[in-house]
Amino acid sequence: MVRKTLDSLATSIRALKDADDAIHIKALRFPNYRNLEPNAKLPFEFPITVLLGRNGCNKSSILHALHGCQKRSSVSDFWFETQLDAIPKTVNGLKQSFTHTYLRDGRYVECIKARAPRGKSDPDYWEAVKPTRVYGFPPNARREPPIDCAIVHLDFRGELPAFDKYFYFPDPSHLASRSAYAKRRRVLRREYKKQDYLRQRSRRLRNHLEQHGSPIPADELEVLKYILERNYLSGTILKHSLFHGHEGWTIQFRTPYLSGGYSDAFAGSGESAAALLVHNILSVKDRSIVLLDEPETSLHPRAQTRLLEFIAHYAVRKSLQVVMATHSIHLAEKLPPSAIRVLEPRENDKVSISTSHSPREALHEIGTATTGKTVIVEDERAKHIVISELNYSSPKAASEVRVVVRDGGTSRIFRDIQAYANADRRNIFVVLDGDHRPEVEVPADADLPQGIVGLKKLISAITSGPNKNGPKLDFVDEQDCTRFIQFFRRNVRFLPGSTPESLVWDEASAEALIDNVCPGQEVNGQIGSIDDSKKRLELLADRVPGMEPLGVFQFLLGRFLASDVPERQELHGLVKDIREREE
């Protein structure tokens, strides 16, 4: 029953891909902010955005900037100058500043906020300032007001229950005065402890919970049951300052096994944090921006995955834009690449913002990725092509995807495919040369032939390749055939062109290679007319002193990757699909 209260994560992600109106702030830009690279840009392309990065990479600072975008908010709520931590007034002539882009009156506008101290009375004042060229604006840009949108900021390192705030951060002078009072009254024969104070205040807290606490609604309780896997009967929540002025929340749960219930003093910190997050998200106004700083705090992995499911479900229902700073693989690995933003430190102590990582590559950057993907290819030149495209796509892609040459030819690879399919090895992909591309499309499951004879005939058609005979494969039953076809459809790809050599061949590039080594010479026209592309490269290598065929291939490959021909775009799409494909 609990499961039905939330859509699956995949369902919510599909809905969010079409929810452009839920992206209330479209982009941030940082002319000069903290130690981000000057004019760093952070686009928001998906209603949920995850900020990943090592410690000290400005994840929380970006959330503070988003908080400061709001009309009546300021970055100084979190970042302010002290005698120990001075904030430079300007760097390279620029004030500390950031901009945000949002939709206003049917058009996208960009508002800039900058730190503008007002002497000793308000040394950390930020305001919307005039946009000028020095801050990256076009001439005659208009001053735009900040976005007028509800922005809710939840930092789960500081969102402690009222009990924890007093228990872990007691006021020594308060305890000393209580201890002196107890000694005068002779009510204790030992030292007065913080536990004594909490015990004494518990009666008043219980009365406040009964009189002023808010019952946790049934739908909210069902969500908590699902995320935390606990059988709650009821719950009550109260915000108060009964523990020596420490304002915070107290939540009391009742379960079948504890009829009197229990509060945060008994509950785990993850249980309290999850309950507070769920309560706050369900309480926010529709079309709000929700900022979550390390929401995975104290939650076990399955609870983190279910928490993301809850966040995505209500991002759809309430048109929320959610931005999370996290180190959790469980809050990032199932999201699309458009939701992933990686903060990477540079050698100059500046931090860049990358938008080109797949979730797995992003998690590799912060050291939390699991075993990556493997791509099987036919030969070394195909391996060069795939690795070069991975490096061209993203510096981290090649470190996260292993490319392996499988000896034994395509017959051996097809037998391997049968083994991969039977073992459900979803992280292994096969990239064959283009001359093995089947002449028939692999049908969807609903359109597969009925019976083992029809399935085997289809497998023969999609694996026949240039010799039209296909490999010799043995299948036990229809299920065995179906698994092979499903793996083939999902995990087998084909390089553009017929072979790696024909893919990279370009006569203009060949002429450029010869001209680099032997200026004035031209490519022999007979070379380009030879059908055998491997022989073509060998003949070209003979014309270039000191170069082997592999060196010629690598030169032509570099020129191919820098081009914009359709085959180049097809290769990019092929590798991009492998990088982004969920395991």
Side-chain angles (χ1 to χ4, degrees):
M1 184 177 68
V2 173
R3 183 68 177 168
K4 295 180 181 178
T5 64
L6 297 176
D7 288 338
S8 70
L9 182 59
T11 298
S12 294
I13 285 175
R14 283 195 298 271
L16 289 170
K17 284 181 178 178
D18 298 323
D20 289 342
D21 60 338
I23 305 175
H24 312 304
I25 291 180
K26 296 291 289 185
L28 292 179
R29 185 167 60 84
F30 302 96
N32 172 38
Y33 184 69
R34 307 288 298 221
N35 63 322
L36 291 173
E37 283 190 334
N39 213 38
K41 297 177 177 62
L42 174 58
F44 297 103
E45 299 172 334
F46 192 72
I48 298 175
T49 301
V50 171
L51 304 178
L52 291 168
R54 306 170 201 173
N55 293 328
C57 282
N58 288 267
K59 299 186 299 297
S60 295
S61 297
I62 289 176
L63 294 186
H64 299 161
L66 282 163
H67 165 87
C69 291
Q70 192 179 21
K71 190 173 183 179
R72 290 167 289 277
S73 298
S74 172
V75 176
S76 63
D77 292 342
F78 305 94
W79 184 36
F80 49 89
E81 189 172 60
T82 70
Q83 292 295 320
L84 297 177
D85 300 290
I87 300 176
K89 289 186 177 180
T90 60
V91 176
N92 297 325
L94 299 179
K95 297 178 180 179
Q96 294 286 341
S97 54
F98 61 90
T99 79
H100 62 282
T101 300
Y102 69 99
L103 190 65
R104 180 170 183 259
D105 298 332
R107 63 186 183 90
Y108 284 105
V109 300
E110 187 178 21
C111 169
I112 179 170
K113 275 193 169 184
R115 184 171 180 266
R118 292 179 168 181
K120 294 183 179 180
S121 63
D122 199 349
D124 293 294
Y125 179 70
W126 288 70
E127 66 177 349
V129 299
K130 181 180 179 181
T132 59
R133 285 187 178 184
V134 72
Y135 288 97
F137 286 85
N140 303 319
R142 292 169 47 183
R143 184 186 303 217
E144 300 290 348
I147 189 171
D148 189 6
C149 173
I151 300 180
V152 178
H153 182 278
L154 297 174
D155 185 342
F156 288 86
R157 296 163 300 179
E159 291 289 340
L160 299 175
F163 175 90
D164 287 356
K165 287 185 177 182
Y166 187 87
F167 186 82
Y168 293 107
F169 308 102
D171 180 354
S173 62
H174 175 250
L175 283 176
S177 65
R178 302 286 295 189
S179 182
Y181 175 80
K183 287 180 180 179
R184 289 197 305 269
R185 300 292 299 271
R186 297 183 180 180
V187 295
L188 282 179
R189 295 182 180 180
R190 55 171 174 77
E191 181 184 357
Y192 186 89
K193 299 178 180 180
K194 56 189 176 184
Q195 291 91 331
D196 296 312
Y197 176 74
L198 291 167
R199 189 179 297 113
Q200 290 173 0
R201 302 294 284 180
S202 63
R203 175 177 295 180
R204 188 173 181 186
L205 175 58
R206 184 187 63 189
N207 293 336
H208 271 67
L209 276 168
E210 293 173 354
Q211 296 172 18
H212 309 293
S214 300
I216 296 178
D219 57 343
E220 187 172 328
L221 205 64
E222 288 298 311
V223 169
L224 287 174
K225 286 168 140 181
Y226 175 62
I227 293 174
L228 298 171
E229 300 177 86
R230 300 294 298 270
N231 187 14
Y232 300 118
L233 296 177
S234 65
T236 306
I237 186 167
L238 173 70
K239 192 171 187 179
H240 64 91
S241 54
L242 296 176
F243 295 152
H244 191 50
H246 286 274
E247 185 176 67
W249 297 89
T250 290
I251 305 173
Q252 186 178 36
F253 292 112
R254 286 184 172 82
T255 69
Y257 309 107
L258 289 171
S259 57
Y262 63 92
S263 71
D264 311 278
F266 184 90
S269 56
E271 188 173 6
S272 298
L276 187 57
L277 184 148
V278 168
H279 179 76
N280 279 301
I281 287 185
L282 291 177
S283 300
V284 298
K285 298 177 181 177
D286 289 2
R287 303 188 57 77
S288 294
I289 298 173
V290 179
L291 312 177
L292 305 177
D293 206 338
E294 299 190 18
E296 71 273 18
T297 301
S298 301
L299 289 176
H300 63 82
R302 188 162 59 239
Q304 293 178 37
T305 301
R306 292 184 171 195
L307 181 66
L308 177 62
E309 193 173 337
F310 160 75
I311 291 169
H313 177 91
Y314 280 96
V316 175
R317 297 299 181 280
K318 298 169 75 73
S319 293
L320 303 177
Q321 180 176 4
V322 181
V323 184
M324 293 187 282
T326 182
H327 297 113
S328 170
I329 184 174
H330 307 287
L331 293 180
E333 64 178 346
K334 298 299 183 183
L335 292 172
S338 57
I340 305 298
R341 300 293 181 253
V342 180
L343 303 172
E344 299 178 288
R346 300 303 186 192
E347 293 182 357
N348 60 358
D349 289 333
K350 294 294 185 181
V351 175
S352 68
I353 301 173
S354 173
T355 62
S356 64
H357 291 70
S358 72
R360 183 164 296 282
E361 294 158 6
L363 291 162
H364 176 87
E365 164 62 23
I366 62 173
T368 61
T370 56
T371 304
K373 297 172 181 173
T374 298
V375 174
I376 308 296
V377 295
E378 293 186 52
D379 56 35
E380 287 293 336
R381 290 179 179 174
K383 180 177 177 179
H384 277 296
I385 290 174
V386 174
I387 290 178
S388 297
E389 173 56 31
L390 285 166
N391 283 319
Y392 201 93
S393 300
S394 166
K396 296 293 183 297
S399 63
E400 196 50 41
V401 179
R402 190 167 63 111
V403 184
V404 177
V405 176
R406 184 65 166 104
D407 295 329
T410 53
S411 294
R412 174 72 263 179
I413 291 176
F414 281 124
R415 289 196 293 273
D416 289 342
I417 288 175
Q418 188 173 11
Y420 300 148
N422 289 333
D424 196 27
R425 296 293 303 275
R426 300 172 69 84
N427 63 337
I428 293 181
F429 295 82
V430 175
V431 176
L432 299 173
D433 292 352
D435 57 0
H436 289 282
R437 190 188 303 270
E439 296 180 356
V440 298
E441 290 189 12
V442 183
D445 287 351
D447 299 322
L448 291 178
Q450 298 296 312
I452 192 168
V453 174
L455 291 170
K456 284 185 174 181
K457 186 176 180 180
L458 173 61
I459 291 172
S460 178
I462 65 178
T463 61
S464 60
N467 61 18
K468 303 304 178 185
N469 294 321
K472 293 181 180 179
L473 300 170
D474 295 322
F475 295 96
V476 176
D477 51 28
E478 293 181 30
Q479 188 177 18
D480 198 22
C481 294
T482 301
R483 282 195 295 263
F484 183 95
I485 295 168
Q486 289 172 333
F487 184 93
F488 195 98
R489 184 200 308 125
R490 184 185 185 278
N491 290 54
V492 178
R493 301 290 181 270
F494 301 89
L495 289 174
S498 57
T499 65
E501 295 81 6
S502 66
L503 175 63
V504 303
W505 175 264
D506 176 69
E507 192 155 333
S509 297
E511 291 175 352
L513 175 60
I514 290 181
D515 192 52
N516 284 343
V517 180
C518 307
Q521 291 193 32
E522 294 182 358
V523 177
N524 187 332
Q526 293 181 348
I527 295 179
S529 63
I530 295 174
D531 292 333
D532 188 334
S533 53
K534 292 183 180 179
K535 184 66 174 177
R536 194 185 304 161
L537 258 68
E538 291 172 359
L539 291 174
L540 182 59
D542 290 341
R543 297 288 307 277
V544 183
M547 288 196 77
E548 298 294 328
L550 179 58
V552 172
F553 176 81
Q554 290 174 327
F555 177 86
L556 295 178
L557 174 58
R559 298 268 298 196
F560 170 76
L561 291 173
S563 71
D564 194 33
V565 296
E567 292 83 359
R568 171 69 184 84
Q569 299 306 315
E570 184 180 347
L571 175 66
H572 176 74
L574 180 155
V575 172
K576 182 174 184 288
D577 179 58
I578 291 174
R579 290 172 56 206
E580 296 178 1
R581 179 74 62 168
E582 292 184 5
E583 296 178 15

